[in-house]
Amino acid sequence: MNVQVIHNKAKNGIEIIFSNPIDKELITFLQKLGFKHFFKDETKWYADFHFAYVSFAHHLKKAMENEEDWKSIIIYPTYKPSFEKIDDLKFCIVDINFKKDDKIIEDEYVIFENYKRVATIIAERFARHTFGNYFDSLTVFPRNYKERARTLLRVQKVIDIDEDGIFIPIKFMDSLVELVKDVQKDKNSDSSIEIKNTIETNQIIKTGILDDQTDFDKLLILEVIDKLVSIEQTTKVTDTRLIQTLITEIEEASTMNLETLRQNKLKHIIRLYREWFEDFPNCFKGSVAIAMRPLLDFTNESFEIKSFTTDLVFTKYQVNNVLVPLYVHECFQKGVIPLQHIPKLKIEFPQLFEVTIETLDRLFEYELFEISQLKKIDNLGININCRELNRHWQINGFDILKNISYPVDLQYPYVSLIKGYVSVKTLQQILDNKKQKYRWLYLIQNFRPMADLSKGTDIIDRQLQKFSEKLIDLKTGQSLRDYSYTELIKKRKHVQEQIDALFVSKKCIEAYIESILAKQLEETDFIDTDEMIVTPKIPKFHFDSFVAGMSLLYYKHKKPTLLQVESLGKQKEVPNDEILGEAIELSAIDFFRSRYLYDENYVWIDGMRHFWGNLQFDRSFTNDKQRFEHSHILPLPIAMMIARYLQMETATSIFNPTAGSGNLLVGAKASATHANEISQLKRKFLDFLRFKTITDYNPFEPTPKAMHKSFDVVVCNPPFIKSTKTKNEKLDTIEEYLGKAYFLASHLREQAFVIALALLNLKDNGNAVIVLNGHICFDQEGKIKYYRDVLNWLCRFYHIRDIINLDSSILTKNTSQKKEKMVVLINGRKEKPSYETPTKENQPHLADVIGSLYDLWERFKRNRIPSIDVIIKQLQIAVKQHEV
């Protein structure tokens, strides 16, 4: 028999093609090993381009062509035993049961193979080869038991095969040594690892990989695992912890034999998947969704998300911030499929090429979306043409778009896949394009809806800046010498056309925003007064609609007027001035967070400064006490800089003990943030910002011990609040937790007391930013003049990276108000307390006062680079580890 083995680089897979049909025994083994056959063709098989599969495929080719027994082919583990592979989750743990005299002996081993089906085959062969008829059953466990794997590697309980195909000897426990000796005595002179199919078939029921060939749900679970492992192996994303955890959870479900337990486990997995979905990288959100869909269908669970935001990467450019349908395969997300790719698609998606006009109505929305991406469908041998397909869209188009969560407002902006943001058009403009014969197909093949409108305008602004700089260069720079006059005029004209088109695109977005704003602000509910007397309506304030209304006001790029805000508050039935004030604060945080979270250059500083100085609505206060209490809040631009410095958008755990309205968490990753706040009203608004954990612990008391040293990032800017604790109660807390810093018991140091308790929750190697009132200045002896006791204590127990004095000019828009604050940057806790208090001699720059947002960001950027002390410490640790 002729056998072809092909490396499919496009799919990163290995394919086996047999010239003749193969027997059922080999089909069963290929399925068990993890190969899949092409649609309705059991002579063509494929699997991931994984060492074990590649090696087996080539050995199978040689065996079949030489008419040798394929059952004797050695299957090797993919990786060599090492602790590094355990850290990388390149292993499986195998639990093997042996039976003698009606007694079960259990032992476990580690095998350095991360594909469960491959690991199971190798473990079965090892067990039968070593223990013969004493072998009873085995189970392959998930890959997250790292400590167990390390222990097994240390004691050499590793299943491995040498170059000659012989299992490497293992040091067995005493109870198994006798079994091994008995098997060796009974063995024939033939020492090959030949496996009889009848024995193997009988053992399938006990292996935990195909517990019952008729058990449909277990087969389905294995298919899902295979797809997710393939995504994990082929992705270029470095952080794959989420998908690894998801695979581990599903693998645990596959080992459960009781159907009820398995069903409950699967439903738990679906809940986790829903919670984690937004945290999956965009590049494989769709692939994970497609892999998980069979589990959703099987458990009768629903998933509300039908489309998601992504960046579509093409060969020479990319289109960011667009929506794509969730269950559409990646190759169909980018628009029209080139003709040269069609043959591969016929193999991978044969069902699409079998559609007829009669079966068109039976397609799912995502399948219709996929078939609509095929170019020149009339010439592809499909029993349907462009006219019929376009007519189907004309009749059902708006319903289909709704079902995949695409916006159907005719004025909504859609982005061109060919020109990007240079060509943003409304849905109506696309469907009214008289130059296009099949307008609906033109829409589906060439445009995607914009996901975040504010981010869309930001993208356009950056492109405008880039083209403006290019145009200036073409008029005044090196280009005058590099190009002829004719070429120069041509290039200037092209750049100017791009700029003009971008302004048109921006106007399209802003026009839609303004139309929505007008609708929201003009809608009024007319209620009959007589009816009100009979059945009075109790007002209920929905702060999310108020926040949305304020965001739309900000989108007009003009500062909201008091009349507009009061009108909006009245329309949304804001109960009182206190709630209105908090809602205004929340609106600014929400708008600021969504608009400026993505830029990395000076443009974002300009944008933040402009918003804070010119757009953010100034709250009005009923008395001086409220104004004084509000004055401790850091402006949003500074809060965002702190977030960027601490890399809070990627941190895994963040804590703020006095979160307030959430200003200092404006740049934090919500799913990793623990916000603590004693005010019930503020906690409601923090909940709107979707923080993972919101608590009401007293900031003057230590948090539960389970929280101590558990956060990578701690930020704290204590408000002006007084403690209800007595001085003796504070002293007890200080003696137990705060290194006997008795000065913190003074009421003048209450803010420092809160900060000290907050830092208990910082990991030893974590980072923190705390805010204190006042500035550092030095006395005549060069020592810190004010707050010396607080800073001495901080320097004794923590690595202080920098202390930055902030001028009132960047803390308040009221020039007559004087505010002084300092920001302390902390890089971890000291192993041994030591006094290293700064002086004028060794750190004179600490007395500098920063009065510009640009200077402040430069100071933060300088502190991102590890200090020489940190580098020396890291090198010392590395040397110790190397010596060990």
Side-chain angles (χ1 to χ4, degrees):
M1 181 186 294
N2 185 30
V3 180
Q4 284 183 281
V5 176
I6 301 170
H7 177 196
N8 189 328
K9 293 183 179 179
K11 298 178 188 174
N12 196 28
I14 187 77
E15 297 176 0
I16 306 175
I17 302 174
F18 299 96
S19 60
N20 302 318
I22 57 177
D23 58 49
K24 299 233 179 220
E25 229 180 322
L26 180 54
I27 290 174
T28 302
F29 186 76
L30 286 171
Q31 288 175 329
K32 185 179 178 185
L33 187 58
F35 280 85
K36 304 175 188 69
H37 63 78
F38 286 81
F39 187 71
K40 294 180 181 179
D41 188 352
E42 292 184 344
T43 63
K44 297 180 180 179
W45 295 78
Y46 66 93
D48 294 338
F49 195 77
H50 182 64
F51 169 80
Y53 292 139
V54 174
S55 173
F56 174 79
H58 285 290
H59 283 92
L60 180 63
K61 170 182 168 66
K62 184 178 178 181
M64 298 294 282
E65 290 180 345
N66 296 332
E67 297 183 356
E68 296 173 356
D69 187 2
W70 59 265
K71 297 173 192 173
S72 62
I73 295 174
I74 307 299
I75 299 176
Y76 294 89
T78 299
Y79 306 102
K80 288 298 177 186
S82 71
F83 290 103
E84 289 79 9
K85 294 304 176 186
I86 293 175
D87 292 333
D88 294 338
L89 296 175
K90 307 297 186 185
F91 70 92
C92 286
I93 288 177
V94 183
D95 189 357
I96 305 180
N97 294 324
F98 313 96
K99 192 173 184 180
K100 183 181 182 184
D101 300 331
D102 295 328
K103 291 183 180 179
I104 296 293
I105 305 170
E106 185 177 336
D107 200 8
E108 65 179 5
Y109 307 86
V110 62
I111 181 170
F112 284 84
E113 170 57 58
N114 59 331
Y115 275 45
K116 186 176 179 182
R117 297 196 184 202
V118 177
T120 302
I121 297 284
I122 297 172
E124 280 182 355
R125 290 183 169 186
F126 162 78
R128 291 198 195 93
H129 171 81
T130 309
F131 298 98
N133 293 330
Y134 293 116
F135 167 54
D136 182 70
S137 62
L138 65 81
T139 305
V140 177
F141 284 97
R143 301 162 293 159
N144 62 338
Y145 300 111
K146 290 185 180 180
E147 286 306 315
R148 286 170 62 183
R150 290 190 185 102
T151 302
L152 291 169
L153 177 57
R154 289 190 194 101
V155 298
Q156 298 179 351
K157 298 288 286 294
V158 181
I159 299 175
D160 199 9
I161 301 173
D162 63 21
E163 294 179 358
D164 297 324
I166 300 172
F167 287 106
I168 296 174
I170 291 177
K171 186 177 181 181
F172 297 109
M173 64 169 77
D174 293 339
S175 57
L176 293 177
V177 171
E178 293 181 12
L179 304 186
V180 175
K181 289 179 180 178
D182 288 345
V183 171
Q184 288 175 345
K185 287 179 185 177
D186 296 337
K187 272 193 176 180
N188 298 325
S189 58
D190 181 12
S191 59
S192 66
I193 314 175
E194 181 177 350
I195 301 170
K196 293 183 179 179
N197 184 60
T198 54
I199 298 175
E200 187 162 336
T201 305
N202 292 333
Q203 289 290 344
I204 283 175
I205 299 174
K206 299 181 180 180
T207 61
I209 191 71
L210 287 177
D211 286 0
D212 188 344
Q213 288 186 2
T214 61
D215 193 343
F216 171 76
D217 57 330
K218 280 211 169 185
L219 289 173
L220 181 145
I221 291 170
L222 291 174
E223 288 295 323
V224 173
I225 293 171
D226 286 346
K227 289 177 182 177
L228 291 175
V229 169
S230 178
I231 296 167
E232 176 204 355
Q233 295 292 321
T234 55
T235 183
K236 295 180 181 178
V237 176
T238 54
D239 188 357
T240 57
R241 287 172 295 179
L242 271 184
I243 194 169
Q244 287 173 350
T245 307
L246 188 62
I247 294 168
T248 295
E249 293 284 338
I250 302 174
E251 284 180 328
E252 286 181 353
S254 74
T255 62
M256 294 180 176
N257 292 321
L258 291 178
E259 186 176 345
T260 305
L261 291 176
R262 195 191 309 153
Q263 285 283 348
N264 291 337
K265 179 68 175 178
L266 290 177
K267 289 184 178 181
H268 169 69
I269 290 167
I270 298 300
R271 285 195 294 273
L272 289 178
Y273 167 61
R274 287 198 195 100
E275 292 173 6
W276 296 344
F277 180 79
E278 291 302 331
D279 294 325
F280 280 114
N282 286 337
C283 61
F284 58 70
K285 265 185 185 174
S287 301
V288 171
I290 292 167
M292 289 293 293
R293 183 165 183 166
L295 277 190
L296 287 163
D297 294 339
F298 178 73
T299 54
N300 293 320
E301 295 284 330
S302 60
F303 192 50
E304 295 74 19
I305 297 174
K306 302 298 181 189
S307 62
F308 66 97
T309 305
T310 191
D311 301 330
L312 298 178
V313 180
F314 297 85
T315 306
K316 294 183 179 179
Y317 65 98
Q318 66 182 50
V319 180
N320 298 334
N321 183 43
V322 292
L323 289 174
V324 296
L326 185 61
Y327 294 115
V328 167
H329 290 83
E330 187 179 359
C331 57
F332 297 101
Q333 292 174 5
K334 300 178 183 180
V336 177
I337 305 291
L339 288 174
Q340 62 266 30
H341 294 168
I342 298 298
K344 292 182 180 179
L345 296 181
K346 283 185 176 181
I347 297 172
E348 193 168 353
F349 306 100
Q351 69 278 9
L352 292 182
F353 294 84
E354 296 177 358
V355 174
T356 66
I357 188 64
E358 290 80 16
T359 61
L360 200 56
D361 287 329
R362 300 176 203 163
L363 294 180
F364 290 106
E365 290 83 4
Y366 63 89
E367 290 176 321
L368 185 66
F369 191 95
E370 288 179 341
I371 198 172
S372 299
Q373 309 302 322
L374 300 177
K375 189 176 183 180
K376 296 183 179 179
I377 196 170
D378 303 22
N379 303 322
L380 298 180
I382 304 176
N383 194 17
I384 191 172
N385 56 45
C386 291
R387 182 179 59 80
E388 292 164 341
L389 191 57
N390 188 73
R391 178 170 172 74
H392 185 79
W393 276 101
Q394 278 181 317
I395 297 170
N396 307 290
F398 287 104
D399 290 333
I400 295 169
L401 292 184
K402 286 179 184 177
N403 290 338
I404 59 175
S405 295
Y406 264 24
V408 294
D409 189 315
L410 289 172
Q411 301 308 311
Y412 195 89
Y414 277 61
V415 184
S416 169
L417 295 178
I418 300 171
K419 297 182 179 180
Y421 281 80
V422 173
S423 178
V424 175
K425 298 183 183 299
T426 67
L427 181 57
Q428 185 164 20
Q429 286 175 327
I430 300 167
L431 294 177
D432 287 348
N433 189 339
K434 295 180 180 179
K435 294 181 180 179
Q436 297 299 325
K437 185 177 180 181
Y438 303 119
R439 297 175 192 176
W440 273 95
L441 287 181
Y442 173 65
L443 165 69
I444 301 303
Q445 293 176 352
N446 295 283
F447 290 88
R448 299 289 178 264
M450 194 178 299
D452 185 326
L453 299 178
S454 63
K455 191 177 177 183
T457 56
D458 288 344
I459 291 170
I460 290 176
D461 286 340
R462 289 198 295 274
Q463 289 188 5
L464 281 170
Q465 183 179 6
K466 174 185 170 185
F467 281 117
S468 298
E469 291 172 355
K470 190 172 183 180
L471 188 61
I472 292 171
D473 182 63
L474 288 170
K475 291 180 177 179
T476 60
Q478 180 69 29
S479 303
L480 294 174
R481 292 184 289 272
D482 292 342
Y483 301 106
S484 66
Y485 179 76
T486 306
E487 286 178 311
L488 210 54
I489 295 298
K490 198 182 218 179
K491 287 184 177 292
R492 288 178 190 172
K493 184 180 178 182
H494 174 71
V495 173
Q496 188 62 56
E497 286 172 352
Q498 301 283 344
I499 292 172
D500 294 341
L502 283 168
F503 274 115
V504 172
S505 296
K506 188 173 182 180
K507 187 176 180 181
C508 175
I509 301 171
E510 291 176 343
Y512 177 75
I513 292 172
E514 289 182 13
S515 69
I516 295 297
L517 172 65
K519 285 179 186 176
Q520 290 206 5
L521 296 182
E522 289 174 6
E523 285 176 355
T524 306
D525 294 326
F526 293 97
I527 303 171
D528 187 276
T529 53
D530 293 333
E531 188 178 343
M532 279 185 64
I533 295 171
V534 179
T535 55
K537 185 179 178 183
I538 301 172
K540 186 177 181 181
F541 171 52
H542 296 284
F543 53 81
D544 52 349
S545 60
F546 178 89
V547 170
M550 285 292 291
S551 293
L552 290 170
L553 288 171
Y554 286 135
Y555 273 123
K556 292 179 72 72
H557 300 289
K558 292 182 181 179
K559 190 173 186 176
T561 64
L562 179 61
L563 183 63
Q564 285 176 316
V565 175
E566 288 178 345
S567 173
L568 183 62
K570 187 176 180 181
Q571 180 191 346
K572 302 301 179 184
E573 301 174 330
V574 180
N576 54 54
D577 289 339
E578 182 184 10
I579 292 179
L580 177 63
E582 292 297 331
I584 291 169
E585 197 82 26
L586 178 66
S587 302
I589 293 170
D590 185 66
F591 181 83
F592 196 90
R593 180 170 70 170
S594 63
R595 190 163 179 86
Y596 299 113
L597 199 58
Y598 302 97
D599 297 325
E600 273 294 343
N601 48 37
Y602 277 122
V603 175
W604 70 273
I605 299 180
D606 279 328
M608 291 190 303
R609 181 182 56 79
H610 177 72
F611 175 81
W612 177 65
N614 303 299
L615 299 181
Q616 185 174 344
F617 182 80
D618 298 320
R619 284 181 58 183
S620 56
F621 301 95
T622 56
N623 54 54
D624 290 336
K625 181 176 179 292
Q626 285 186 358
R627 184 178 291 104
F628 173 75
E629 289 175 347
H630 186 261
S631 66
H632 87 281
I633 297 175
L634 283 184
L636 288 172
I638 298 177
M640 180 60 81
M641 290 182 187
I642 291 173
R644 292 258 169 110
Y645 163 74
L646 292 171
Q647 298 180 343
M648 288 166 69
E649 69 276 10
T650 58
T652 55
S653 54
I654 304 165
F655 179 61
N656 186 344
T658 54
S661 300
N663 272 57
L664 207 52
L665 297 171
V666 65
K669 182 180 179 182
S671 61
T673 301
H674 181 148
N676 186 72
E677 175 54 47
I678 58 174
S679 166
Q680 184 179 0
L681 176 61
K682 290 182 186 292
R683 287 201 304 275
K684 280 189 176 182
F685 287 95
L686 289 171
D687 187 62
F688 175 83
L689 295 171
R690 305 286 192 275
F691 293 128
K692 179 183 179 182
T693 306
I694 300 171
T695 53
D696 60 348
Y697 299 131
N698 185 342
F700 290 98
E701 294 177 356
T703 54
K705 287 193 176 181
M707 292 174 58
H708 292 186
K709 295 188 177 183
S710 63
F711 290 92
D712 293 310
V713 170
V714 171
V715 287
C716 186
N717 179 21
F720 295 99
I721 53 175
K722 291 186 177 180
S723 172
T724 56
K725 286 185 165 294
T726 65
K727 186 171 184 179
N728 285 336
E729 287 175 330
K730 289 182 185 176
L731 289 171
D732 289 342
T733 301
I734 289 166
E735 185 153 357
E736 183 177 357
Y737 294 99
L738 304 178
K740 300 181 181 181
Y742 298 119
F743 64 91
L744 292 172
S746 167
H747 74 278
L748 295 175
R749 294 288 179 264
E750 286 188 338
Q751 283 183 298
F753 184 68
V754 171
I755 287 171
L757 291 175
L759 291 174
L760 289 174
N761 303 290
L762 182 69
K763 289 181 180 178
D764 288 337
N765 61 347
N767 295 308
V769 170
I770 61 174
V771 183
L772 293 167
N773 291 327
H775 283 169
I776 281 189
C777 61
F778 298 104
D779 59 19
Q780 292 180 347
E781 297 177 1
K783 297 180 180 179
I784 294 175
K785 190 172 184 180
Y786 306 115
Y787 313 102
R788 188 186 302 171
D789 49 4
V790 176
L791 295 170
N792 273 343
W793 181 84
L794 281 171
C795 291
R796 184 184 178 196
F797 290 96
Y798 296 89
H799 295 286
I800 305 302
R801 186 61 185 275
D802 200 357
I803 304 173
I804 308 171
N805 295 328
L806 304 180
D807 188 62
S808 60
S809 61
I810 60 171
L811 291 171
T812 177
K813 290 183 272 187
N814 185 354
T815 54
S816 63
Q817 185 180 2
K818 293 295 180 184
K819 291 169 66 176
E820 288 185 347
K821 285 190 177 293
M822 63 177 111
V823 175
V824 183
L825 313 185
I826 296 174
N827 283 144
R829 190 180 284 105
K830 292 182 177 179
E831 291 182 4
K832 293 182 180 180
S834 60
Y835 284 102
E836 297 174 0
T837 308
T839 63
K840 186 176 182 180
E841 182 179 357
N842 59 28
Q843 296 191 60
H845 69 282
L846 296 185
D848 297 342
V849 180
I850 302 296
S852 157
L853 290 177
Y854 299 106
D855 293 339
L856 179 59
W857 178 236
E858 285 298 327
R859 184 83 165 255
F860 274 119
K861 284 202 297 185
R862 284 201 299 272
N863 281 296
R864 277 181 165 181
I865 304 169
S867 65
I868 188 65
D869 294 332
V870 173
I871 294 172
I872 291 171
K873 186 177 178 182
Q874 291 173 343
L875 288 171
Q876 288 172 341
I877 293 171
V879 169
K880 286 181 182 178
Q881 292 176 342
H882 181 70
E883 290 173 352
V884 172

